Amino acid sequence: MTPSRRRLTALAAATTLVLTGATAGAAHAAVPPDAPEQIRNGDFSAGTSPWFSYGTGDLGVTDGRLCTTVPGGLANPWDAGIGQDAVPLIAGAEYELSFDVSANPGAALTAVLQLGSAPYTTYASVNATATGTPQHVTRTFTAPADNPAAQLIFQVGGSPQAQTFCLDNVSLRGGEAAPPYEPDTGPRVRVNQVGYLPGGPKHATLVTDATDPLPWQLKSAAGTVVAGGRTTPRGVDPASAQHVQTVDFSSFRTPGIGYTLVVDGETSHPFDISGTLYDRLRVDALQFFYAQRSGIPIDGDLIGAEYARPAGHLGVAPNQGDTDVPCQPGVCDHRLDVRGGWYDAGDHGKYVVNGGIATYQLLNAFERTKTAETAGGGAALGDSTLRVPERGNQVPDILDEARWELEFLLRMQVPAGQPLAGMAHHKIHDRNWTGLPLAPQGDPQPRELHPPSTAATLNLAAVAAQCARLFAPYDAAFAARCATAARTAYAAAKAHPKIYASAADGNGGGAYDDTNVTDEFYWAAVELWLTTGEAAYLTDLTTSPLHTAEVFDAGGAFGWQSVAALGRLDLATVPNGLPAAERARIRASVTAAADRYLATLHGQAYGLPLPGDAGAYVWGGNSNVINNAVVLATAFDLTRDARYRDGAVQTADYLLGRNALNISYVTGWGEHAAQNQHSRIFAHQLDPNLPHPPAGSLAGGPNAALQDPYAANLLAGCQPMFCYVDDINSYSTNEVAINWNSALAWLASFLADQRDAAAVPAPTCAVTYTTHGSWPDGFNTQVTVRNTGKSAVDGWSLRWAFTGDQQVQGYWSAKVSQSGATVTATNESWNARIALGAEITFGLIGSTAGSPNPTPTLITLNGVACTLS
């Protein structure tokens, strides 16, 4: 029997209940039979999407009906529900709501059309009693208010007995057919609305039907033409289906503000040309994490009065967490204090796998300053560079921010003596989904620990190992805690290698499921080996099939579900003891991936390192764009080849306005920027008393799959680059998330370090760094510097960084000091001059508590990298 025939059969036996009017006695005109349908997939022929549920079992389609189980004993009808978001209502319009419902053994239910966020204003409702026989219910009403994104909820809780509810033929007819959505894309000339680096690439994209090259003019803020040329026709851009041409004005290098590009009768948004463009973006992108902190009051004096709020989830009513949190029923018998950390995204959940990659990127942005010439030794990420409560504590602020999450991750580890000891709980979040807006301190939902998983445990192992080496110079006790946790977690994961998070575990929070943890094992082994130097971890990483595999995907080099590339990048950049040939092979794999991303970028008329097909535009796709740029940036750090730097710099153009929608995806950056990202905390669109997301918040970006009801209703049939809307209801295109902002923070830090993006200077020195002797707690090193430049050096300062806990204890023939991991050696009065072709030598004695002591890969002389020999 076909599904359509089954429905006809069921209706023949169904009872029909007809209710009319919003109040008793009200009269309503009949809804015309051709009135537009406002419910999507009401016959469930397309499965369960876009329907959702809370407080129920999994949704499923059985014999063409949407069915689920509901536990008995729930206190209220609204404690369990089945619903659909983004239902449009027009004030004064007539509607007919109808549906078929059955329940076994039988129970009451209420269908409610309501505001989908607090105060959940009811527009219309109907009560019914469902039995084992399907009942057809119809209700007509007049909508009392306009709402383009109302919510239909079937409240199915409150029965003393467990029930199986089934729905079919859900319909809401009336109102008007939605007009085709036409986004406001502004001028047809698309530029980076923030600006360009003086020595960097400067490209723009023109949307035009013209097929021949067109003249363009670059104008100053005063309207003076300062440069000109002709466009390059590019045909139809596959990601947007637009006819486009491109403009290259890279040869113009004069700094200034308020430039505009004029072509084909259109004037672009204004932009600047400056070497300091990205200084504040680095700070803003990192500041996002303080705004997302859980378990601490947010200080308005640090981040702005509109963002001040009490601490969330410290066990103060109405909160029911996070200081003493139980597991889900049947998961474990222990309770944990899991306070702190960052709220993951637009919800109040905290997830180890997403926290893992976000923490990694902050730690890696700092570790990059030890090995990248343009990073200036990390001064821009040092103490008192961010607006965080810990500033002034002699620890780099970016490490302080990362530590807030690290402390939470450590708390998620199963205690000794418990089943699965050493594993990490996959996540903690509310028992049921909550609505928007909702401040963290106002969340009334019970909080629950979810089962441990191998993926979460290996994330903990990897970032705790990073923590151990990077915090060693600043807080030896905390570094030791991290090292112990990392070793314990890795051992536990090896003992339990196939405990996977369930894809169905998504009520109240995201599932973050992952059934392939080969990459997590590889990444964790790499980080533990880099930190400890122990042979067992080296064996594990070198015997992993991923060690020689291609790990950089075209659609996204890495992400929370794919982390092998993190291990590859760290082996390429962090000083270590791999044989030279092996290290060269690893570095070559990074530059080969960067070459592919460059080729992709050059093939895209909007200049981004992402393929133009729909499959590349996914949930959180903006972070994939950035992570591909991270590979480009890393290739530049490794090779000093400006092509890679230019590719990373050009990627920022797409994020900041050079795209089909002519929008900056970073709040507060650009003339037309996203500001209504999906967030319970920053919900200004829903409550004008609340703020927009803070400046520097990255939106997820175009998602061709349209995985939320609002986007699915509004953007159906969109070309990939147009599958985005700046609306708080579109969580699949417009959410914020810590792993997306960590990517932005990493890239922004790299961009800020490039200053004017001037020509890369040739090395003028060569250094030989030789450790002549090592013992369990120390080493003896000699450094020779040779002048290979074109003139004598009068006064010198040599700088490098240790990888872990090494400390300088003595020195000769130079003045040697150490701050954190950074070592600075300056000349004595008698050896200040290094003649052309001459060399000087000095030495030092160092101590270590057992960390590896590899040769540094970056040593600078007066700020310029030397060749290492």
Side-chain angles (χ1 to χ4, degrees), residues 203-206 208 210-213 231-238 242-248 598-608 650 658:
H203 297 273
T205 302
L206 169 71
T208 179
T211 56
D212 294 327
T231 61
T232 300
R234 298 293 295 268
V236 177
D237 171 56
Q242 296 171 315
H243 293 265
V244 293
Q245 300 197 24
T246 54
V247 178
D248 183 352
L598 269 184
T600 299
L601 181 151
H602 292 147
Q604 300 295 312
Y606 280 106
L608 68 160
Q650 192 170 337
R658 188 191 171 201

Side-chain angles (χ1 to χ4, degrees), residues 433-823:
W433 284 110
T434 57
L436 285 75
L438 183 63
Q441 69 273 12
D443 177 12
Q445 278 285 321
R447 306 277 276 181
E448 295 175 330
L449 291 167
H450 290 245
S453 72
T454 306
T457 303
L458 291 167
N459 268 263
L460 172 60
V463 296
Q466 265 188 303
C467 161
R469 68 176 179 266
L470 294 178
F471 275 88
Y474 305 102
D475 189 333
F478 181 58
R481 275 181 60 204
C482 287
T484 299
R487 292 175 185 275
T488 301
Y490 190 76
K494 292 192 77 172
H496 305 284
K498 294 183 179 180
I499 299 180
Y500 304 131
S502 170
D505 188 11
N507 187 39
Y512 284 103
D513 55 301
D514 189 353
T515 57
N516 181 356
V517 296
T518 307
D519 52 323
E520 281 85 359
F521 270 111
Y522 178 66
W523 175 36
V526 168
E527 299 299 346
L528 277 157
W529 179 67
L530 290 173
T531 296
T532 68
E534 294 177 10
Y537 301 123
L538 178 61
T539 298
D540 284 355
L541 77 89
T542 54
T543 57
S544 168
L546 294 174
H547 187 54
T548 54
E550 178 51 64
V551 296
F552 299 102
D553 186 79
F558 51 87
W560 65 264
Q561 207 173 33
S562 179
V563 294
L566 306 183
R568 182 72 57 84
L569 291 169
D570 278 6
L571 287 176
T573 56
V574 178
N576 62 67
L578 285 176
E582 177 70 348
R583 186 164 185 129
R585 180 192 66 79
I586 289 169
R587 290 185 165 198
S589 74
V590 175
T591 56
D595 288 336
R596 294 193 297 274
Y597 292 138
L598 269 184
T600 299
L601 181 151
H602 292 147
Q604 300 295 312
Y606 280 106
L608 68 160
L610 193 75
D613 59 279
Y617 286 79
V618 298
W619 196 319
N622 277 347
S623 69
N624 290 341
V625 174
I626 297 175
N627 289 335
N628 289 354
V630 168
V631 177
L632 289 166
T634 302
F636 170 69
D637 288 341
L638 291 172
T639 66
R640 306 175 90 240
D641 186 335
R643 293 182 305 120
Y644 300 128
R645 178 192 65 190
D646 289 352
V649 170
Q650 192 170 337
T651 300
D653 298 348
Y654 168 80
L655 299 167
L656 297 171
R658 188 191 171 201
N659 52 62
L661 286 166
N662 205 3
I663 189 172
S664 167
Y665 290 111
V666 182
T667 301
W669 284 79
E671 290 293 308
H672 175 48
Q675 61 177 0
N676 294 313
Q677 289 97 319
H678 181 85
S679 168
R680 283 161 177 76
I681 303 174
F682 314 120
H684 179 85
Q685 182 181 342
L686 300 176
D687 182 350
N689 294 313
L690 296 174
H692 291 292
S697 301
L698 178 69
N703 175 7
L706 301 178
Q707 291 166 278
D708 67 79
Y710 187 85
N713 187 50
L714 187 71
L715 304 175
C718 57
Q719 296 297 323
M721 206 180 286
F722 281 102
C723 296
Y724 168 84
V725 59
D726 182 26
D727 192 286
I728 198 168
N729 294 291
S730 181
Y731 48 83
S732 74
T733 77
N734 198 39
E735 195 166 11
V736 292
I738 55 175
N739 62 315
W740 306 341
N741 246 77
S742 62
L744 177 64
W746 197 105
L747 181 61
S749 187
F750 173 85
L751 296 173
D753 286 343
Q754 304 316 305
R755 314 311 298 168
D756 286 357
V760 179
T764 58
C765 53
V767 172
T768 302
Y769 184 101
T770 306
T771 298
H772 287 289
S774 297
W775 48 96
D777 60 354
F779 55 91
N780 177 343
T781 293
Q782 179 174 291
V783 182
T784 298
V785 186
R786 182 163 53 90
N787 181 357
T788 61
K790 296 181 179 180
S791 60
V793 175
D794 288 306
W796 52 267
S797 176
L798 215 67
R799 186 183 67 216
W800 71 91
F802 290 136
T803 55
D805 66 1
Q806 304 99 311
Q807 292 288 327
V808 174
Q809 300 296 332
Y811 46 86
W812 58 93
S813 299
K815 300 170 186 175
V816 182
S817 61
Q818 184 173 349
S819 175
T822 301
V823 179

Side-chain angles (χ1 to χ4, degrees), residues 60 185 250 276 286 313 412 485 743 761 791:
T185 57
S250 302
T276 61
L286 287 168
H313 296 99
M412 291 289 282
S791 60

Side-chain angles (χ1 to χ4, degrees), residues 121-138:
T121 305
T122 296
Y123 303 130
S125 66
V126 56
N127 298 315
T129 300
T131 67
T133 301
Q135 177 179 210
H136 185 67
V137 180
T138 300

